[in-house]
Amino acid sequence: MSLKSNFKNYCQVKNLKWLLVALSFFIFALGFAFAYSLGSSKGDEFNAEEITIKPFEGSEVTDRASARNEEGQMRPAQEEWVLYVTGAVNNPGVYRLPQDSRVYQLVEKAGGLTPKADSAAVNLAAKLNDGCHVHVPEVGETVSVGREVPNVPVSQGYSAHVVDTGSQKTTVDLNDADIGTLQNLPGIGPKTAQAIVDYREAKGGFRSVEELLDVKGIGPKKMEKIRPFVTVGYR
Amino acid sequence: MKLLYEAPGLCLLTSLVISILLTAKGFPFWLASVVAGSVMLSLGFCSYDGTDEVFAILILCFLIGLSGSLWLTWRVTHEPKLPDRLTETAIVSFERPWGSKRALILKTAQGNYVAEVTPNLALREGDRIKVKASVLPLEKKTSGFNPYTYWRARGVSGRLVGLQLLKSNKGRTFSLYCWRSILRKWVLLNFPLRVRGYLLALLFGVKDPDLAQVHARWGTSHLLAVSGFHVALVVGIVFRALRRTRWKVQISLFLLFLYLAFTGFAASAMRAGIMVAFILMGKLIGRPMKAIQAVSLAAVCLLLWRPWFVWDVGWKLSVLSALAIGCIDIFPKRFSLLLSSAFLWTITAGIVLVTFKTLPIAGLITNIFAIPIFAILFMAVLLSVPIALLPYGLGATVISFVEKSILAFEYVLNWMTSFVPMSIVDTWHWPFISLAVFFIILARKLELGCLRSVCVTICGLMLYGVLLS
């Protein structure tokens, strides 16, 4: 018998025809999966490129880890915020939460609201800041506000129940804030806020808080008024 | 054993698992179903013998697999609609430790929601509460433990934040959850340490922290999770006790359902329960079913119910181990105990290492002795429940004997473990080794021949690589 007929017999005995069919289905499946993965990964690369450009183009994103304080020194990268919660929660007290936490996370950490809590009087979605004091009132309770938080509008339902401790000031980043946020600073109206933004765009950002004196409409008096509430972030 | 004659369910299972995993990787649901269907056809043709009958089974499997994949992948990609706020009466249907807090599943008329609460609230299963809260989607994580898949596999659709809880005046309900809670309390108060730990694991799927630590050291943690071992034990006792009665299968099935409900419908228990139910029903209609087919169908049923089980460690370990046990009869009888223990340890090593990052080598030896001896001890522990009711301190004497027997065996296992204190720590190649061994043994069991076994193993590993990438 020739080699060819031997091979033919072997193929028939082992049903190799079907094995080849099986392998072709597998290759088809794998090829499809690879083709799709390659296509989608190219798309991802394109998106990633867009995202990396963003911080340089707009003022929306700031690098928190490398942010600088008023003196221009590097602020150490914080991993946790220390927060205080009182009022109608199951376990009032001081808690540590990751950065960028919200009020509901602090309330959850404190064991949740008690049945007497006035859940409509506190904005659970509001953003927190390091060193914040959140007071959850009971139904019918009136809350005395310790200190208004300047960078968060009252409409967010934040300032009524989040009390700034004073030791950790809530500050507005001059290199990051928009006109609306700047207007919350004492003595800053829409015109001055626009002037600050124009100056920032023209000079490529503030390097120190004192540079505010160069902005039209801000004198030494106004400067002293707003100084506790502003900072200069990395740009 | 021929794949398409005796275990076509395995083809279906392969198709469904691949389609769900591809969808999670970002494939559109139709493409994931097509790729999964092709892989299923590939597996089917690998064992195809050229007859029309088998071809018909293959095409039927392909069509069922394709429609099942389309449905499941659609479900996985579509989020449930959540209300913004929830003001409802709810029943605590499940509670477990969750870091420093307790996680509760609250069953409401609008669906099941999870809430994290302080342990001080002391809420128990079966408690009826009034809940006011905001509803948020479940948290998703791409690396490490993913709360989203964990809770979705338990029927939860959202999480509650800003909780206001008020215990209802009606107090506890007379639901199954309440009975679970009452029985749990009774076990905790009336049994010594070890007996109660195993009873809680056996009956309620609750892990005692001390026992969990000890079993982790021995490499026998699977004995604490309600699995096929426990289900087979419970059903085995009932079936043996009723062997002379006419309704033994029906009664066993009913008690099996009750047992599963008491375990809280854990993934591994459900898999084992459905598998045993298939085998019992096969007996009832006079068509016995192969173990691999029963396991595959049970796993398919669970996926059709909740596709997120694919990511559940309990489900993965349970299905893989049960499929492996179905293949054990290919080993020579003389060494079957030794080889099967090593085989099971090897094929589960991949999942265990990926999930827990460490695997005690002692498990290779301890399992050989632990499984048969714990089968006897667990039987004694289960029987101690009615014995505890005996008067004049008789029950207490028997239970104390069981406790001492467990402690004695614990001593022996500790002694054995002291010889092999090493553990394997996270190594990337273990999942590949585990899968390769599994594919080879499975191919041998399916009588695929050398060439096909090698092809199945290589293709299986390539597919795993694609799913990992």
Side-chain angles (χ1 to χ4, degrees):
Chain A
M1 251 196 213
S2 67
L3 192 68
K4 196 178 170 186
S5 59
N6 264 343
F7 180 69
K8 214 173 177 183
N9 277 346
Y10 177 80
C11 288
Q12 272 173 355
V13 170
K14 295 282 178 187
N15 258 335
L16 284 190
K17 184 171 65 179
W18 298 118
L19 182 61
L20 285 177
V21 174
L23 283 175
S24 27
F25 268 114
F26 185 77
I27 291 163
F28 169 76
L30 220 59
F32 233 135
F34 264 124
Y36 181 78
S37 301
L38 282 177
S40 61
S41 64
K42 269 188 184 172
D44 288 347
E45 277 165 29
F46 181 69
N47 289 340
E49 211 172 330
E50 275 187 338
I51 291 162
T52 49
I53 292 168
K54 214 174 171 183
F56 300 101
E57 282 184 347
S59 57
E60 295 283 301
V61 184
T62 9
D63 187 353
R64 281 177 178 275
S66 57
R68 288 167 196 267
N69 60 14
E70 292 103 307
E71 286 77 38
Q73 290 164 332
M74 288 293 286
R75 222 186 279 161
Q78 276 183 313
E79 288 186 350
E80 280 181 329
W81 282 350
V82 182
L83 305 150
Y84 180 40
V85 58
T86 53
V89 288
N90 284 307
N91 296 309
V94 176
Y95 293 95
R96 286 174 185 276
L97 280 179
Q99 285 184 346
D100 299 322
S101 294
R102 306 236 173 192
V103 173
Y104 78 84
Q105 286 166 308
L106 179 61
V107 170
E108 265 189 0
K109 189 92 175 172
L113 299 173
T114 63
K116 286 181 182 172
D118 187 354
S119 64
V122 61
N123 179 6
L124 293 170
K127 284 180 182 172
L128 291 165
N129 283 307
D130 189 23
C132 263
H133 170 193
V134 175
H135 181 79
V136 181
E138 290 190 356
V139 177
E141 184 186 351
T142 47
V143 182
S144 59
V145 182
R147 183 176 190 163
E148 199 178 336
V149 183
N151 67 335
V152 184
V154 179
S155 59
Q156 284 186 14
Y158 188 104
S159 59
H161 302 299
V162 180
V163 186
D164 190 6
T165 54
S167 60
Q168 286 278 340
K169 288 161 204 147
T170 311
T171 50
V172 172
D173 186 351
L174 290 173
N175 283 335
D176 185 30
D178 55 11
I179 294 175
T181 312
L182 289 169
Q183 281 183 58
N184 287 318
L185 292 167
I188 303 287
K191 268 192 177 175
T192 319
Q194 185 60 55
I196 292 172
V197 172
D198 289 344
Y199 180 90
R200 185 170 72 195
E201 294 306 323
K203 299 277 178 181
F206 288 92
R207 276 159 295 170
S208 70
V209 176
E210 280 68 26
E211 263 188 82
L212 272 175
L213 290 168
D214 296 340
V215 177
K216 200 181 167 190
I218 300 181
K221 254 189 177 178
K222 202 177 266 183
M223 170 73 191
E224 282 315 302
K225 224 173 170 184
I226 60 175
R227 197 189 177 103
F229 303 114
V230 289
T231 183
V232 174
Y234 177 75
R235 192 173 164 88
Chain B
M1 183 184 174
K2 296 281 180 196
L3 175 67
L4 290 167
Y5 273 117
E6 291 168 298
L10 191 60
C11 291
L12 272 181
L13 178 65
T14 313
S15 161
L16 297 187
V17 169
I18 292 170
S19 63
I20 297 169
L21 292 178
L22 285 177
T23 313
K25 275 180 69 66
F27 280 59
F29 73 98
W30 58 270
L31 183 62
S33 305
V34 169
V35 172
S38 305
V39 173
M40 200 215 83
L41 279 179
S42 160
L43 184 63
F45 274 115
C46 200
S47 64
Y48 182 46
D49 57 4
T51 57
D52 290 345
E53 195 186 356
V54 173
F55 188 72
I57 296 170
L58 180 59
I59 296 301
L60 192 68
C61 278
F62 173 70
L63 292 175
I64 298 172
L66 192 67
S67 35
S69 300
L70 282 169
W71 186 52
L72 290 188
T73 48
W74 184 85
R75 278 182 69 193
V76 169
T77 47
H78 285 75
E79 294 288 328
K81 278 192 177 174
L82 298 173
D84 296 331
R85 203 162 162 75
L86 191 82
T87 310
E88 280 271 358
T89 305
I91 295 174
V92 180
S93 63
F94 175 80
E95 66 106 19
R96 60 156 294 168
W98 197 257
S100 58
K101 296 182 186 174
R102 309 288 295 180
L104 305 176
I105 294 184
L106 301 175
K107 196 176 176 184
T108 69
Q110 294 188 48
N112 293 343
Y113 298 96
V114 65
E116 289 173 30
V117 296
T118 167
N120 303 349
L121 282 178
L123 284 168
R124 286 180 296 154
E125 280 177 34
D127 279 346
R128 189 197 288 268
I129 51 172
K130 278 185 181 168
V131 58
K132 272 188 191 176
S134 305
V135 185
L136 288 183
L138 291 165
E139 195 185 353
K140 284 181 185 175
K141 278 185 184 164
T142 45
S143 60
F145 174 75
N146 187 357
Y148 181 82
T149 52
Y150 179 85
W151 290 118
R152 291 291 279 160
R154 276 145 192 83
V156 172
S157 46
R159 68 190 162 114
L160 302 180
V161 294
L163 270 182
Q164 276 182 287
L165 300 173
L166 190 67
K167 260 195 178 180
S168 165
N169 291 334
K170 285 181 186 172
R172 296 166 70 74
T173 57
F174 280 97
S175 57
L176 184 73
Y177 314 114
C178 190
W179 282 108
R180 243 173 79 92
S181 183
I182 291 169
L183 204 61
R184 206 164 135 181
K185 195 176 164 189
W186 180 70
V187 168
L188 280 167
L189 292 175
N190 291 289
F191 290 89
L193 201 69
R194 290 299 187 237
V195 175
R196 92 173 166 221
Y198 286 117
L199 263 181
L200 288 176
L202 268 168
L203 294 179
F204 309 105
V206 177
K207 278 186 190 174
D208 180 278
D210 290 340
L211 277 182
Q213 207 178 358
V214 171
H215 277 272
R217 199 171 61 240
W218 297 337
T220 54
S221 295
H222 57 92
L223 291 172
L224 284 183
V226 183
S227 63
F229 178 65
H230 304 88
V231 171
L233 201 71
V234 172
V235 174
I237 292 173
V238 175
F239 205 76
R240 290 286 295 174
L242 300 171
R243 65 184 181 280
R244 285 168 203 276
T245 50
R246 209 176 141 197
W247 299 94
K248 59 183 184 238
V249 173
Q250 289 87 335
I251 296 171
S252 301
L253 280 173
F254 173 72
L255 289 174
L256 173 66
F257 175 77
L258 212 63
Y259 176 61
L260 291 182
F262 260 100
T263 61
F265 294 112
S268 52
M270 286 282 286
R271 195 274 310 148
I274 298 172
M275 177 190 160
V276 171
F278 274 128
I279 291 172
L280 285 175
M281 282 193 285
K283 256 185 190 303
L284 196 68
I285 58 170
R287 293 193 63 172
M289 196 183 272
K290 293 276 180 192
I292 291 183
Q293 170 73 346
V295 177
S296 308
L297 286 184
V300 166
C301 286
L302 280 182
L303 286 185
L304 290 174
W305 183 37
R306 285 175 190 164
W308 300 273
F309 271 127
V310 164
W311 292 280
D312 190 277
V313 186
W315 184 89
K316 283 192 274 191
L317 282 173
S318 167
V319 172
L320 200 64
S321 315
L323 286 174
I325 290 167
C327 302
I328 273 172
D329 56 2
I330 66 159
F331 296 126
K333 283 236 159 45
R334 200 183 295 173
F335 307 108
S336 98
L337 189 67
L338 199 70
L339 285 175
S340 54
S341 170
F343 173 51
L344 280 173
W345 184 88
T346 313
I347 65 145
T348 51
I351 297 176
V352 173
L353 277 167
V354 166
T355 316
F356 305 107
K357 312 289 179 205
T358 174
L359 176 71
I361 298 175
L364 261 172
I365 307 161
T366 48
N367 274 301
I368 301 170
F369 304 96
I371 292 173
I373 292 175
F374 267 110
I376 299 164
L377 287 176
F378 282 173
M379 227 180 288
V381 165
L382 277 176
L383 290 173
S384 68
V385 176
I387 288 171
L389 303 170
L390 289 177
Y392 310 118
L394 205 64
T397 316
V398 177
I399 289 167
S400 146
F401 174 73
V402 176
E403 174 83 1
K404 278 175 185 154
S405 310
I406 294 171
L407 287 172
F409 186 55
E410 207 171 272
Y411 180 79
V412 175
L413 281 178
N414 277 333
W415 176 74
M416 283 165 71
T417 314
S418 65
F419 289 106
V420 200
M422 300 83 79
S423 289
I424 299 174
V425 285
D426 190 17
T427 45
W428 65 270
H429 54 265
W430 263 102
F432 288 93
I433 296 172
S434 299
L435 278 179
V437 173
F438 174 68
F439 287 136
I440 290 169
I441 301 290
L442 186 68
R444 295 283 300 156
K445 172 74 183 170
L446 297 172
E447 298 166 16
L448 291 183
C450 274
L451 185 62
R452 282 176 166 77
S453 299
V454 171
C455 285
V456 164
T457 308
I458 292 171
C459 292
L461 291 178
M462 278 169 74
L463 200 66
Y464 178 67
V466 169
L467 291 172
L468 263 190
S469 63

